[in-house]
């Protein structure tokens, strides 16, 4: 933040008694069409949390217009919730600022003043209204309750965000809020950067799928609190995180500037269960850390902006090759495979590892003597490459079958394996078959790479792990074949990631239970 703005920010927030430590870390947004429904939604949230966590945003603009005019009813609701020791932000977002309130700025001020006087902890006034109403009106409102001036851009993160901050700081206030749409990981970084100078009075994060992790990361970057969605909030917002996950999974209540942030990056990333297992492990080992999922179409731009903010990274499709290239150092497995699923930070140096290789090798070693074993790998993508590499090193005789024969030939040539045709499968018996294509994966669960007569092996290793039991695994079970699931591989590679990042043994049983509970049945 430029020095001039910084000075204005300091001056603007100096007079407030509402310090950054006086509110809980997670504010849950609730809404309803009538005062009764809004009250019911608020009470339902309060019932779910401890007294110290009670912090709600009442979105009054979602009320029907008749309820806006019931000023006494609104004040009663605020008093009732405050009596229950619930901290409250009241928001009456105008249509022009992305909300639903259709009245004038003067009406908005009148309603907000009423609920402020009833005991709200914070009144959210968008900067557009503040500019329309002027300094005197904002000052008067602030006499009734602490005020947060907010800026929203639902389309983009505009260039020159300092201008937006400057508009906010034009009005002395207790908090400022700046929320923009994220269309690129760079937008996340731009907004999170602002928090470094916010002195705990600036709430800032980005919206949308790409912005989702910033709703957690903002707390580590200096935001005094973040927002989360009620169980049935009725307030649309892509990228919102449910309050139960915000507190339970990400442990947002405890996140502060010292919290280490780990992440998984992929495209798409919505399906990833890595946050489920790693957050459980970090919590169990008592580490001040959280683990978020980041959506990024382009690894290079993601890495430029997140490298300095993360303590460790998991990488999933399609970024494993790019991650290996981007790292400062590579362990032998990542070097040989040309792909990494784990980046580990030591100071400012990032080292790439490929724990997929361990995820493949360890479960197989438990069941098979690998030297001299005949193994068929189905597929010729990244997972197949990892498999062919480690199996070759372990002394297996590796064959590859793939939909596109040229890709199989390329891999076989490079790594010293042989390519076989589908027609040959019926007449060949293997010690193990490793399936590495996405066939059978959610949502296309009916997909199956092999016809029944083509699967002739002692062990089937399925790498797909959603669902936990695939069509191919059922086929193998019917044929009496010993099955290793993708879940076992996924867990094994995650245990190793955890060890590399933290130096501690992973709580294996806990992680497995968390994964099995989260997997589609
Ligand atoms: P990838 O690089 O995109 O390779 C996919 C491979 O699957 C390619 O060889 C492709 O064949 C083949 N394929 C795709 N669609 C197909 C279809 N409809 N019919 C036949 N073959 C098809 O992907 P990847 O990184 O190797 O990952 C593949 C799978 O491994 C993922 O689905 C994931 O579930 C699993 N995996 C699991 C773990 C774990 O921890 N359990 C870890 C890593 C990966 P072409 O060459 O013909 O395109």
């Amino acid at each position: 933040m430029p020095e001039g703005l910084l000075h204005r920010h300091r001056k603007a927030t100096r007079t407030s008694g509402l310090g950054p430590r006086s509110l809980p870390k997670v504010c849950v947004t609730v809404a309803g069409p009538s005062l009764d429904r809004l009250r019911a939604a608020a009470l339902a949230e309060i019932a779910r949390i401890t007294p110290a966590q009670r912090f709600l945003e009442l979105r009054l603009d979602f009320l029907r217009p008749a309820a806006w005019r019931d000023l006494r009813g609104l004040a009663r609701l605020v008093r009732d919730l405050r009596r229950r020791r619930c901290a409250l932000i009241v928001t009456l977002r105008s249509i022009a600022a992305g909300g639903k309130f259709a009245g004038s700025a003067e009406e908005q001020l009148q309603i907000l003043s009423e609920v402020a006087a009833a005991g709200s902890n914070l009144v959210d006034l968008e900067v557009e209204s503040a500019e329309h109403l002027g300094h005197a009106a904002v000052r008067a409102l602030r006499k009734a309750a602490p005020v947060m001036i907010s800026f929203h851009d639902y389309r983009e993160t505009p260039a020159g965000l300092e201008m937006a901050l400057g508009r906010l700081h034009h009005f002395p206030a207790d908090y400022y809020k700046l929320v923009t749409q994220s269309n690129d990981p760079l937008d996340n970084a731009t907004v999170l950067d602002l928090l470094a100078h916010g002195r705990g009075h600036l709430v800032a994060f980005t919206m949308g799928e790409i912005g989702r992790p910033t709703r957690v990361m903002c707390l580590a970057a200096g935001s005094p609190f973040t927002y989360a969605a009620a169980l049935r909030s009725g307030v649309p917002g892509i990228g919102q995180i449910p309050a139960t996950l915000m507190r339970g999974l990400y442990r947002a209540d405890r996140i502060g500037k010292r919290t280490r942030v780990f992440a998984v990056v992929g495209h798409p990333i919505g399906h990833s269960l890595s946050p489920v297992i790693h957050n459980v492990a970090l919590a169990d080992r008592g580490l001040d850390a959280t683990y978020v999922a980041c959506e990024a179409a382009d690894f290079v731009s993601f890495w430029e902006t997140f490298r300095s903010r993360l303590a460790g990274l998991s990488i999933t499709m399609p970024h494993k090759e790019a991650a290996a290239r981007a790292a400062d150092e590579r362990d032998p497995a990542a070097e040989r495979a040309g792909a990494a699923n784990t980046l580990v930070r030591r100071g400012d140096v990032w080292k790439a590892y490929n724990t997929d290789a361990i995820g493949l090798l360890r479960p197989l070693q438990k069941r098979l003597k690998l030297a001299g074993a005949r193994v068929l790998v189905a597929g010729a993508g990244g997972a197949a490459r990892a498999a062919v590499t480690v199996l070759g090193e372990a002394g297996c005789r590796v064959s590859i079958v793939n939909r596109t024969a040229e890709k199989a030939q390329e891999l076989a040539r490079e790594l010293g394996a042989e390519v076989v045709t589908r027609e040959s499968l019926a007449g060949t018996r293997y010690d193990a078959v490793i399936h590495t294509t996405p066939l059978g994966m959610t949502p296309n669960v009916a997909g199956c790479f092999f016809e029944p007569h083509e699967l002739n092996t002692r062990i089937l290793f399925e790498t797909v792990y959603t669902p936990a039991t695939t069509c191919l695994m059922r086929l193998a079970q019917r044929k009496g074949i010993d099955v290793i699931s993708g879940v076992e591989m996924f867990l094994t590679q995650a245990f190793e990631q955890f060890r590399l990042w933290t130096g501690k043994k992973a709580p294996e049983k806990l992680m497995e239970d968390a994964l099995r509970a989260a997997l589609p049945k």
Side-chain angles (χ1 to χ4, degrees):
M1 195 184 295
E3 196 47 42
L5 270 177
L6 197 58
H7 176 68
R8 275 166 66 186
H9 179 83
R10 286 196 185 121
K11 203 167 147 215
T13 55
R14 193 174 296 148
T15 50
S16 157
L18 195 65
R21 266 184 279 280
S22 51
L23 291 167
K25 291 274 172 90
V26 180
C27 178
V28 182
T29 301
V30 290
S34 67
L35 283 175
D36 283 345
R37 297 269 292 277
L38 178 58
R39 186 171 183 279
L43 293 182
E45 277 311 305
I46 287 176
R48 272 187 208 105
I49 52 184
T50 66
Q53 292 174 324
R54 289 178 190 168
F55 186 17
L56 300 179
E57 178 192 33
L58 301 181
R59 282 297 296 262
L60 302 185
D61 51 309
F62 279 71
L63 290 166
R64 281 193 287 266
W68 295 331
R69 293 186 201 107
D70 181 2
L71 294 182
R72 283 197 184 160
L74 283 172
R76 246 195 328 272
L77 172 64
V78 167
R79 275 196 299 273
D80 178 21
L81 294 173
R82 292 291 293 126
R83 262 198 303 275
R84 294 166 196 268
R85 300 193 176 285
C86 179
L88 289 180
I89 299 179
V90 287
T91 302
L92 184 63
R93 186 87 60 239
S94 67
I95 291 176
K100 285 171 153 302
F101 180 65
S104 66
E106 286 74 15
E107 284 174 281
Q108 185 187 26
L109 181 67
Q110 191 197 358
I111 296 168
L112 287 177
S113 301
E114 195 73 28
V115 288
S120 306
N121 297 72
L122 212 46
V123 176
D124 180 327
L125 183 69
E126 56 259 19
V127 69
E128 293 83 355
S129 295
E131 286 167 344
H132 177 86
L133 294 162
H135 271 285
V138 176
R139 247 193 329 269
L141 179 61
R142 201 170 171 221
K143 280 195 179 130
V147 168
M148 176 165 72
I149 307 285
S150 59
F151 171 89
H152 293 80
D153 190 322
Y154 293 90
R155 286 177 302 119
E156 60 173 353
T157 299
L161 267 188
E162 286 80 11
M163 276 226 330
L165 261 191
R167 284 175 67 192
L168 292 177
H169 290 152
H170 192 59
F171 297 91
D174 301 271
Y175 285 96
Y176 298 98
K177 179 185 179 200
L178 186 146
V179 179
T180 59
Q181 172 71 20
S182 177
N183 298 317
D184 186 280
L186 192 59
D187 295 338
N188 295 348
T190 308
V191 171
L192 291 177
D193 277 347
L194 296 176
L195 289 166
H197 305 292
R199 292 173 61 242
H201 291 276
L202 176 65
V203 177
F205 55 85
T206 58
M207 296 178 283
E209 209 54 58
I210 298 173
R212 190 190 303 263
T214 67
R215 292 175 186 261
V216 177
M217 294 176 79
C218 67
L219 294 171
S223 188
F225 58 85
T226 187
Y227 288 79
L231 209 55
R232 276 181 290 277
S233 77
V235 182
I238 298 171
Q240 280 201 48
I241 296 177
T244 45
L245 289 186
M246 189 64 101
R247 293 200 192 90
L249 187 68
Y250 299 107
R251 296 183 297 147
D253 285 331
R254 294 154 177 262
I255 297 178
K257 280 191 163 175
R258 273 199 267 275
T259 304
R260 292 194 296 158
V261 180
F262 294 87
V264 56
V265 62
H267 178 62
I269 198 62
H271 69 283
S272 175
L273 293 172
S274 290
V276 172
I277 57 173
H278 282 300
N279 275 311
V280 161
L282 293 168
D284 180 72
R285 292 296 185 244
L287 297 168
D288 182 8
T290 190
Y291 184 107
V292 295
C294 298
E295 167 69 41
D298 174 40
F299 183 80
V300 175
S301 98
F302 166 83
W303 189 235
E304 272 171 22
T305 53
F306 277 82
R307 177 187 167 110
S308 61
R309 297 167 196 279
L310 297 175
L313 182 67
S314 309
I315 304 99
T316 185
M317 286 191 293
H319 298 316
K320 291 183 182 181
E321 284 84 3
R325 281 194 299 274
D328 306 308
E329 297 170 3
R330 280 157 289 277
D331 89 326
E335 187 73 61
R336 280 192 298 271
N341 74 331
T342 311
L343 293 186
V344 177
R345 183 178 185 167
R346 299 272 178 267
D348 284 335
V349 176
W350 283 90
K351 184 163 177 176
Y353 293 82
N354 195 323
T355 69
D356 281 341
I358 291 170
L360 280 161
L361 209 52
R362 283 196 188 147
L364 257 185
Q365 276 169 330
K366 285 187 203 160
R367 295 154 169 103
L368 184 67
K369 185 172 163 294
L370 293 180
R374 269 195 103 172
V375 183
L376 174 70
V377 174
R385 171 176 283 272
V388 175
T389 306
V390 290
L391 294 171
E393 282 165 8
C396 300
R397 287 186 290 153
V398 184
S399 307
I400 305 171
V401 61
N402 189 46
R403 177 178 62 181
T404 311
E406 297 77 46
K407 277 176 75 180
Q409 272 145 9
E410 219 173 281
L411 196 62
R413 244 194 324 272
E414 191 185 331
L415 299 174
E418 67 158 353
V419 178
V420 295
T421 61
R422 283 203 85 110
E423 294 68 42
S424 73
L425 298 182
T428 319
R429 188 157 177 85
Y430 293 94
D431 294 307
V433 167
I434 323 265
H435 171 243
T436 71
T437 85
L439 282 174
M441 190 164 94
T442 311
N444 305 315
V445 292
C448 187
F449 188 90
F450 292 98
E451 296 290 330
H453 67 281
E454 294 173 328
L455 193 63
N456 300 303
T457 175
R458 187 153 81 68
I459 297 169
L460 168 78
F461 195 146
E462 169 66 289
T463 64
V464 172
Y465 67 95
T466 49
T469 307
T470 62
C471 240
L472 176 60
M473 286 164 72
R474 278 194 290 274
L475 167 62
Q477 280 155 355
R478 282 199 300 274
K479 294 189 76 167
I481 295 169
D482 189 5
V483 173
I484 303 173
S485 71
V487 169
E488 189 172 340
M489 173 179 173
F490 181 65
L491 284 168
T492 308
Q493 62 80 30
F495 299 156
E496 184 60 11
Q497 286 189 324
F498 189 83
R499 192 189 64 75
L500 286 166
W501 290 327
T502 68
K504 295 177 190 295
K505 185 176 173 354
E508 299 185 356
K509 174 79 171 65
L510 260 183
M511 290 168 81
E512 177 167 358
D513 290 348
L515 178 64
R516 292 203 184 273
L519 277 169
K521 300 291 175 289

